[in-house]
Amino acid sequence: MPFAALIGNERIKKLLQRAVSEARIGQSLLMAGPRGVGKYQFALALAQALNCEQPASGDACGQCIPCRKIARNEHADVRTILRESQDPLIKKESRSQFIKIEQTRLMSEQAQFRPYEGRRRVFILDDAEWLRREAANSLLKTLEEPPETSLIILITPKPFALIDTIRSRCLLLSFAPLTTSEIELHLLGLKKTPDEARLRARLSGGSIGRAIEIDLDEYREMRNILLELLESLAFSRSSASLMGAAEYLGRKIEKDEFERHLEALTVLLGDLLRLKLREGEGSLTNEDVIERLQRIAGTVSEESIIRLADGIEDVFRDLPRNINRQLAMEAILIQA
C-alpha cells in the first residue's frame, strides 16, 4: 500500500517521500524499531513509490500494474529475503533460524543486474538480526560498492545485533511505537467495534500487528481468572484460594502461558494503581471492567499493589533460572 495508507511514524513517511521526490534515496537503508509498527509495510510502500507509473509527491498511486504486482509480491524487481524458518516455500524440516550466506550471495548477484521491468531493484531483508556472520560479511561487500539501480533495505527490531560495519553503511530510520489513538482509529477502519478497538489498542504496546493478532476471547478468559485472584486478595484473603491460584499459575499452565498471565496481571495492577491515584477513567487499559477494578481498588492499598507488582518483576527476572513457579507465586501472594 502507498505511504498515504500507512499509519504512524509520520516523520519517516515525510522523509522518504521527500527523498523519492528528489531522487536521493541512496542504496541502503536500515529500518529499526519494535515489531509490528509497520516497518515492512513502509519498505513495500517505498518500493512502490520507486517503481510506480504515476507517482505523485514521492508516493505511489497504488493502482498501476507495478504497484499491484509489488503488493502481491509478484514484481520481478522487488524481492524479500526471509530467514528460512519464516519462509513458507521451504520445507519445515529443512528450515534454519538464520539468513544464510547462500541467500545473501544470490541477492548480491541479483543486485548487480539492471531492473527487469521497473526503475529500481529493491531487496528487503526482514529480521536482519538473524544474519549469520558469514552472510553478514557477504552482504557487507555489496553495501561497500552498492549498485546505483538497486536499493537494499534491512529491517530489524534489534539494530545493534548487526555488525558495526553494516550499520555504518546504512541510513538508519528509527521507528517508534504507534500511539493508542492511531491504532484505535485503524482498527475502527477494519470494522472493529469501538469497545473492541479500544481494548485491542490499549493491549497492543504500540504494535498494530499485536493489536490485530490478539485473541480477545482468550484474553478475557485469562483476565477473569486474574480478577478473581485480585478479588480474593482484596476481600477474603482465603489461604485456600490463594494457594489454588498459585498452583494453577505455577503448575497447571505452560511456561509461555504463565508469562502471558503475569503480563496481564501487571497490566491490571497498573490499572488499579491509576485508580488509587485518581488517574483512572479514560486512562485504564481494561476500561471495560472498570466497576470490578474500582471495587478492588477501594479495598487494597497502594503499598500492596506495588509489593505485588515488584514480586512479579522478580519472578520474571528469575524465570531463566527455572525457578519453582508455584512456590514463587505462593510467596508473592502471601506477602501482598
Side-chain angles (χ1 to χ4, degrees), residues 36-298:
V37 298
K39 301 186 297 296
Y40 182 70
Q41 295 302 323
F42 268 73
L44 287 182
L46 178 56
Q48 286 180 320
L50 291 170
N51 288 288
C52 178
E53 291 178 346
Q54 303 172 34
S57 302
D59 201 1
C61 70
Q63 302 300 320
C64 66
I65 291 175
C67 282
R68 282 182 285 162
K69 278 189 171 183
I70 292 168
R72 296 194 302 264
N73 197 27
E74 295 174 356
H75 197 286
D77 293 319
V78 179
R79 183 173 168 229
T80 299
I81 294 90
L82 301 167
R83 54 193 175 110
E84 291 184 348
S85 61
Q86 303 300 314
D87 192 338
L89 300 179
I90 298 176
K91 291 181 180 179
K92 191 171 184 179
E93 59 272 17
S94 304
R95 294 177 187 174
S96 164
Q97 284 291 328
F98 296 91
I99 298 174
K100 299 167 74 174
I101 190 169
E102 294 85 354
Q103 294 172 278
T104 53
R105 277 178 177 166
L106 178 60
M107 186 211 74
S108 296
E109 291 173 8
Q110 293 176 341
Q112 305 303 320
F113 302 145
R114 296 191 64 80
Y116 289 116
E117 57 178 304
R119 292 190 300 276
R120 194 79 178 266
R121 307 206 79 191
V122 180
F123 298 89
I124 305 169
L125 278 83
D126 205 2
D127 288 333
E129 73 275 13
W130 287 93
L131 280 161
R132 279 195 181 278
R133 170 67 66 164
E134 59 269 25
N137 289 331
S138 169
L139 173 63
L140 183 58
K141 295 177 182 177
T142 306
L143 295 177
E144 288 171 342
E145 299 177 6
E148 290 186 2
T149 55
S150 292
L151 168 65
I152 297 172
I153 305 174
L154 282 70
I155 298 176
T156 178
K158 300 176 181 178
F160 292 101
L162 299 173
I163 59 177
D164 294 344
T165 42
I166 282 184
R167 291 202 312 274
S168 67
R169 283 166 174 77
C170 298
L171 173 64
L172 174 64
L173 300 175
S174 295
F175 285 71
L178 305 183
T179 66
T180 300
S181 57
E182 286 172 337
I183 294 175
E184 191 172 336
L185 187 62
H186 182 73
L187 293 173
L188 289 171
L190 298 178
K191 309 302 182 186
K192 304 294 184 185
T193 66
D195 287 345
E196 181 180 350
R198 187 178 303 112
L199 181 56
R200 285 181 179 276
R202 294 182 181 194
L203 290 170
S204 69
S207 164
I208 187 64
R210 176 170 166 73
I212 292 170
E213 292 168 2
I214 293 169
D215 184 330
L216 279 190
D217 290 336
E218 181 183 275
Y219 173 75
R220 288 183 177 122
E221 182 180 344
M222 175 176 62
R223 182 180 64 183
N224 190 56
I225 291 169
L226 297 172
L227 283 170
E228 289 175 357
L229 167 60
L230 291 172
E231 286 164 344
S232 180
L233 277 170
F235 306 127
S236 69
R237 295 201 63 84
S238 162
S239 296
S241 296
L242 296 180
M243 294 306 99
E247 181 183 12
Y248 171 76
L249 292 170
R251 280 204 322 171
K252 294 186 177 179
I253 57 178
E254 298 297 324
K255 183 179 178 182
D256 59 342
E257 197 175 345
F258 173 71
E259 292 181 21
R260 287 199 298 274
H261 277 69
L262 290 193
E263 287 168 356
L265 182 54
T266 301
V267 172
L268 288 168
L269 292 173
D271 283 346
L272 288 175
L273 197 56
R274 290 187 191 94
L275 287 169
K276 295 295 289 185
L277 298 174
R278 304 188 184 280
E279 298 175 357
E281 286 195 48
S283 68
L284 301 186
T285 297
N286 295 280
E287 193 83 35
D288 55 322
V289 290
I290 188 172
E291 291 182 2
R292 291 181 75 178
L293 291 169
Q294 285 172 330
R295 286 196 296 272
I296 297 168

